Amino acid sequence: MAKADKSAVKAAGSARKAGIVPAQGITRMIAAGEIALAEPVAETQVQPASLDLRLGPVAYRVRASFLPRPGGRVQSKLDDLGLHTISLSQGAVLETGCVYIVPLLESLALPADVEASANPKSSTGRLDVFTRVIADGVGAFDQIPHGYKGPLFAEICPQTFPIVVRKGSRLSQIRFRIGTAADNDDDLKDLHKRERLVSAEDADISGGIALTVDLAGDANGLVGFRARRHTGVVDVDKVGAYPLEDYWDPISVRGRNRLILDPDEFYILASKEAVHVPPTHAAEMVPFNPLVGEFRVHYAGFMDPGFGHAPAGGNGSRVVLEVRSHKVPFILEDGQIIGRLIYERMTETPETIYGQGLKSNYQGQGLKLSKHFK
């Protein structure tokens, strides 16, 4: 392309509205070949502000996680290492503590002004499946730079439950971004005044809007669940298939409003605040300060436009927290800040929002395990 032509493309791109690309924009990207699909798009694969990523037919069992060098190809590294391969065509078990790399059915040819980021899907995070997206020549997980052209791979490491996956299973989702999309604190305060983003009386807005953990519990004192060890497998594509009591122990605090996290145990808790993501925005939960304690919240990450939106049936939706303590026991107190929500503007309002005809499993949720349990 001539230099003048490149400048014209750059100028055209810079004129596009900054924000997160909604479902109809993702559909246009697929039609334009900016997102390439090895198989036709699946039902509900295109979400209001993201695209589900599907596993391909083969998994590679690897000894350790890795990232490619600049200019390096992930598939070449896999081929050179001569690693064990597992067919996913009929389904296969991925064991806990093992690392697998799976080429995805989606690849990208992004425009120069579009970047992308990936996260585990909500159900994946609630199963404590550690998964990240890798791209050729990119030295960071879950980050796809502007103009990237190439394949995508999923790194998968189940932490608590062995899982069954197959070709087409969806563990991650990807979001596409043009320019700077995040609201600053002043914008966020204005948005909160208009839309009431969290139910807290005095919202703590500083580098995002604070969320705290609920350890007061329901009428029976239930505050969360702790995962059992040495359970059966969980098929990630089955909904409501597994008895809760075979995989989880309920936790009640009995009026003390605090919880001692045991090292390397996995907990499901909930935010004290109900959360609202208006149709004009998407949201993401991020750690507010990694230095405040020896615990980590594994965020599924994305919240689509319409999450917690009353007209879409989401009034009162709380955020589910996937929590693990490292090295030492750690005391969580009721109302302790555990993360912050970053709100990002959409380039346009999605044609369909979360909770409206999309089989949205977590709209209107309180404390809730993943969709796999009954």
Side-chain angles (χ1 to χ4, degrees):
M1 182 182 291
K3 184 175 181 179
D5 293 336
K6 289 182 179 179
S7 298
V9 169
K10 184 176 181 181
S14 64
R16 293 211 283 181
K17 184 178 179 182
I20 301 297
V21 178
Q24 62 268 30
I26 293 173
T27 300
R28 292 193 293 265
M29 291 177 69
I30 293 171
E34 296 165 356
I35 303 170
L37 308 178
E39 295 188 356
V41 65
E43 183 183 6
T44 73
Q45 186 181 357
V46 179
Q47 296 290 316
S50 62
L51 176 72
D52 289 350
L53 297 173
R54 299 171 295 178
L55 301 183
V58 175
Y60 295 81
R61 170 66 163 28
V62 298
R63 182 178 180 184
S65 175
F66 65 86
L67 283 169
R69 295 180 177 180
R73 295 177 60 243
V74 175
Q75 188 64 55
S76 295
K77 194 172 184 69
L78 294 172
D79 293 340
D80 290 343
L81 291 173
L83 301 167
H84 178 61
T85 60
I86 303 167
S87 173
L88 301 184
S89 297
Q90 302 300 316
V93 175
L94 305 187
E95 299 288 355
T96 58
C98 298
V99 182
Y100 305 87
I101 305 294
V102 182
L104 297 173
L105 295 180
E106 289 73 34
S107 58
L108 301 176
L110 296 179
D113 63 333
V114 178
E115 63 181 344
S117 55
N119 275 92
K121 288 176 61 64
S122 295
S123 297
T124 307
R126 296 182 203 196
L127 288 177
D128 200 21
V129 177
F130 190 63
T131 183
R132 303 182 287 193
V133 171
I134 312 172
D136 283 349
V138 179
F141 295 107
D142 288 333
Q143 302 302 311
I144 314 298
H146 301 87
Y148 174 79
K149 294 177 173 57
L152 300 173
F153 301 80
E155 176 194 280
I156 305 167
C157 183
Q159 300 291 296
T160 296
F161 310 122
I163 60 172
V164 175
V165 299
R166 56 189 53 80
K167 185 182 79 169
S169 294
R170 310 179 205 174
L171 300 182
S172 300
Q173 55 190 168
I174 192 167
R175 182 171 288 181
F176 301 94
R177 182 181 293 103
I178 299 172
T180 301
D183 279 350
N184 60 36
D185 286 345
D186 289 338
D187 293 334
L188 197 54
K189 289 174 183 177
D190 289 341
L191 182 64
H192 180 60
K193 288 179 182 178
R194 298 195 308 271
E195 298 284 358
R196 191 65 185 273
L197 303 178
V198 295
S199 58
E201 289 299 324
D202 297 311
D204 179 345
I205 299 177
S206 177
I209 190 164
L211 286 186
T212 65
V213 63
D214 178 16
L215 293 178
D218 62 13
N220 298 314
L222 179 69
V223 299
F225 298 90
R226 180 166 63 180
R228 292 189 168 189
R229 296 181 179 270
H230 314 297
T231 67
V233 301
V234 176
D235 188 322
V236 301
D237 297 321
K238 290 185 177 180
V239 177
Y242 302 99
L244 178 156
E245 59 270 16
D246 290 348
Y247 293 82
W248 300 93
D249 290 320
I251 303 170
S252 298
V253 295
R254 301 179 181 87
R256 301 194 70 179
N257 289 12
R258 72 180 188 187
L259 175 66
I260 299 177
L261 304 175
D262 290 325
D264 297 320
E265 297 290 340
F266 181 65
Y267 300 84
I268 294 292
L269 305 173
S271 68
K272 184 173 284 291
E273 300 82 8
V275 170
H276 174 214
V277 183
T280 54
H281 284 69
E284 183 174 6
M285 191 169 176
V286 297
F288 81 103
N289 185 347
L291 303 177
V292 298
E294 292 296 327
F295 70 93
R296 177 74 170 94
V297 177
H298 295 272
Y299 307 117
F302 296 158
M303 282 168 239
D304 275 313
F307 178 83
H309 192 53
N315 189 41
S317 295
R318 294 192 289 164
V319 174
V320 167
L321 310 168
E322 303 113 23
V323 181
R324 183 186 293 277
S325 181
H326 296 299
K327 305 300 182 184
V328 298
F330 187 83
I331 297 176
L332 275 184
E333 303 279 356
D334 182 55
Q336 185 170 338
I337 296 177
I338 203 165
R340 288 188 181 272
L341 284 177
I342 303 299
Y343 281 74
E344 296 185 292
R345 299 176 300 279
M346 303 296 297
T347 58
E348 55 184 313
T349 301
E351 292 177 346
T352 303
I353 62 175
Y354 192 82
Q356 290 184 333
L358 290 173
K359 300 180 182 179
S360 304
N361 293 289
Y362 306 117
Q363 184 69 297
Q365 71 180 359
L367 175 66
K368 187 174 182 179
L369 297 171
S370 73
K371 62 185 180 182
H372 309 93
F373 301 101
K374 57 186 177 182

